[in-house]
Amino acid sequence: MNMLHFTPPPLGGIMGLGGAEIGIVFALCGMIFGGIMGLAGMYFHHQRKRLWHETARIALEKGQPVPPHDAGESEENRDPTNRWRANHDVRGGLVLLAVGAGLWLLLLDMPGRIHFVGAIPGFIGIALLLYALLATIFGRKNEPPRS
């Protein structure tokens, strides 16, 4: 039987870890980094909102008009039927269809029916494309009133 032998990882001899342990350490570090980035994003979003509210309060106290909200939080971005959202759904659907087809072709020669794993992102891509089509066809015809 022909077995593949990989060279030990460079840090394995120093820290006394094998390949599996180093993989677990990297996975845990990645999850911790993702959690830190998520928490930092939420913190800075909260700070931006708090500063806007403080600015609006000071403006009202001095009799000035209230400054507008950020452009990223406008009504156009909250409306799920707008063109921007539909374009992103189409792009995401096409990418997921391509990933599903690539996985299917990559795993086609594997024993068993493992190549059907590509159907998962493929069907999600089909659902996104269908949603974008329905949002475009049956979207709002008139704009909601701006307050």
Side-chain angles (χ1 to χ4, degrees), residues 84-97 128-129 132:
W84 180 83
R85 177 80 179 244
N87 288 340
H88 278 54
D89 288 338
V90 170
R91 183 181 304 154
L94 290 175
V95 166
L96 283 170
L97 273 176
L128 277 174
L129 289 173

Side-chain angles (χ1 to χ4, degrees), residues 27-47:
L28 287 174
C29 288
M31 285 188 260
I32 290 170
F33 180 74
I36 289 171
M37 289 298 110
L39 289 173
M42 289 189 304
Y43 172 76
F44 287 118
H45 179 76
H46 172 72
Q47 287 295 103

Side-chain angles (χ1 to χ4, degrees), residues 32-72:
I32 290 170
F33 180 74
I36 289 171
M37 289 298 110
L39 289 173
M42 289 189 304
Y43 172 76
F44 287 118
H45 179 76
H46 172 72
Q47 287 295 103
R48 186 174 58 232
K49 283 181 138 329
R50 189 178 63 80
L51 287 174
W52 182 87
H53 283 286
E54 185 178 337
T55 304
R57 182 184 56 81
I58 292 171
L60 284 174
E61 285 176 357
K62 293 186 176 187
Q64 299 293 321
V66 178
H69 281 286
D70 291 338

